[in-house]
Amino acid sequence: MNTKSIFLVLCCLTAFPSYAQHVPTLEEVVNGGLIVTKGESRVNWLSEGNSYSKKEKNPAGGYDIVSYTAGKNKREVLISASMFVKPGTSDTLSVRSFSFDTSHKQVLVYTNTRRVWRYDTRGDYWVLNMETGKLRQLGAQLPESSLMFAKFSPDGTRVAYVSGNNIYVEYVSDGKVVQLTRDGSNTIVNGTFDWVYEEEFSCRDGFRWSPDGKYIAYWQSDTEGTGWFDIINNVDSLYPKILRFPYPKAGTTNSAVKVGYVAASGGETTWIDLPGDPRQNYIMRMDFIPESN
């Protein structure tokens, strides 16, 4: 070891004396107590164009949804944390993210999240009517933390979401649920994607409302015949678990991917006629043309 190497090591130990004196516990490392960080939440620009909304912690517990006016930095509480208390309980929703309908009279709250691959894209969704104060959970009949990519219809009367690789539409007013697809399984994936599409194309949310709210277009992946990859998960529980997922390596079978559209009220899916072998093509982007079907 030369003089420069010794000098660098001594500088590191001097700069972080607490690490030299204290051996961190596993709990400190896993639960984030070792290094304290502070960041800002995602912001959502409001329809008037000069204000944005974001979540902020309420000192009494939970999160407020607040707005700031650009330029003036004027702050206003749009929704207080007290409005996010679950009906019949004293529990306040922990707001992971939120979105408004076009009227800004309803807000969709994402909470109780779980990780899918590397992002927490699965959880519970609640709708809050800001005028009446009514808070209601969506997909209450489905397993906990199983809803993905919920979003309002253009007119705000319904919310569509994915659960168990199937697509659902739920009416906000009365909770009526319409199941649009029924073939979702371990190998048939509707409204979201397999590992390759997320990794290579950043594709996660796999369905779109039409501008008039009458249809939903979506991706479907058929992973049958794709090789399975095993990973040992050593961090989420006391004992390791083996995770299996379809993962095509170079030269092996890809998922067969196609795009179709279905009436939001239910019915048969119409599949788009695309040229070529669906296992040899990628469909990376899809959307409705604005002001049309």
Side-chain angles (χ1 to χ4, degrees):
M1 180 179 290
N2 58 37
T3 305
K4 184 180 293 185
S5 299
I6 296 173
F7 175 73
L8 290 175
V9 170
L10 291 176
C11 281
C12 290
L13 292 176
T14 304
F16 302 100
S18 60
Y19 290 90
Q21 299 169 9
H22 171 65
V23 177
T25 65
L26 179 61
E27 183 178 359
E28 287 176 324
V29 174
V30 173
N31 295 330
L34 182 62
I35 300 175
V36 179
T37 61
K38 183 178 180 181
E40 289 296 324
S41 66
R42 173 185 173 186
V43 301
N44 302 271
W45 286 97
L46 301 177
S47 56
E48 66 269 20
N50 64 345
S51 299
Y52 62 89
S53 60
K54 63 191 294 287
K55 68 175 185 177
E56 289 184 354
K57 273 199 169 185
N58 185 303
Y63 290 89
D64 297 326
I65 305 299
V66 303
S67 71
Y68 286 90
T69 302
K72 301 178 182 178
N73 207 31
K74 178 184 177 182
R75 181 181 183 274
E76 178 185 359
V77 177
L78 299 178
I79 309 171
S80 67
S82 61
M83 297 184 72
F84 292 130
V85 176
K86 298 179 185 178
T89 74
S90 59
D91 297 335
T92 302
L93 294 178
S94 178
V95 180
R96 177 65 174 82
S97 64
F98 65 93
S99 60
F100 292 99
D101 69 349
T102 53
S103 71
H104 279 75
K105 295 178 180 178
Q106 300 179 112
V107 63
L108 186 63
V109 178
Y110 181 46
T111 184
N112 195 24
T113 64
R114 300 290 186 272
R115 181 171 292 186
V116 178
W117 313 132
R118 59 174 60 82
Y119 297 100
D120 54 341
T121 52
R122 184 164 54 87
D124 294 330
Y125 284 88
W126 296 68
V127 170
L128 172 67
N129 186 308
M130 296 166 61
E131 293 184 322
T132 65
K134 182 180 179 181
L135 179 67
R136 189 175 67 81
Q137 184 178 4
L138 299 174
Q141 79 284 0
L142 295 168
E144 180 185 8
S145 297
S146 70
L147 273 60
M148 305 174 73
F149 313 120
K151 41 188 174 283
F152 283 113
S153 61
D155 63 3
T157 61
R158 295 151 293 161
V159 175
Y161 49 80
V162 173
S163 178
N165 289 336
N166 280 311
I167 303 173
Y168 299 80
V169 168
E170 184 165 341
Y171 286 76
V172 174
S173 59
D174 59 7
K176 175 186 175 182
V177 177
V178 179
Q179 185 172 346
L180 300 187
T181 66
R182 297 183 179 276
D183 55 353
S185 66
N186 288 334
T187 56
I188 298 296
V189 181
N190 296 304
T192 183
F193 295 93
D194 65 3
W195 188 90
V196 170
Y197 267 72
E198 175 173 321
E199 172 70 12
E200 304 300 339
F201 306 129
S202 298
C203 291
R204 298 175 187 90
D205 177 353
F207 72 91
R208 307 284 184 267
W209 281 100
S210 65
D212 61 8
K214 293 182 179 180
Y215 298 94
I216 285 179
Y218 66 96
W219 279 266
Q220 183 189 86
S221 302
D222 181 358
T223 65
E224 183 70 34
T226 300
W228 290 85
F229 195 87
D230 294 344
I231 288 181
I232 299 177
N233 183 351
N234 288 301
V235 298
D236 289 341
S237 59
L238 182 60
Y239 289 96
K241 296 179 180 179
I242 296 178
L243 304 179
R244 303 199 75 204
F245 55 92
Y247 176 81
K249 292 196 173 186
T252 66
T253 302
N254 286 319
S255 298
V257 180
K258 56 185 178 180
V259 168
Y261 61 90
V262 61
S265 57
E268 296 297 319
T269 296
T270 299
W271 298 107
I272 304 299
D273 185 17
L274 297 173
D277 183 346
R279 290 192 184 272
Q280 299 299 324
N281 293 337
Y282 295 112
I283 309 173
M284 293 171 285
R285 300 291 181 263
M286 172 273 291
D287 214 329
F288 283 93
I289 298 172
E291 308 301 328
S292 78
N293 281 328

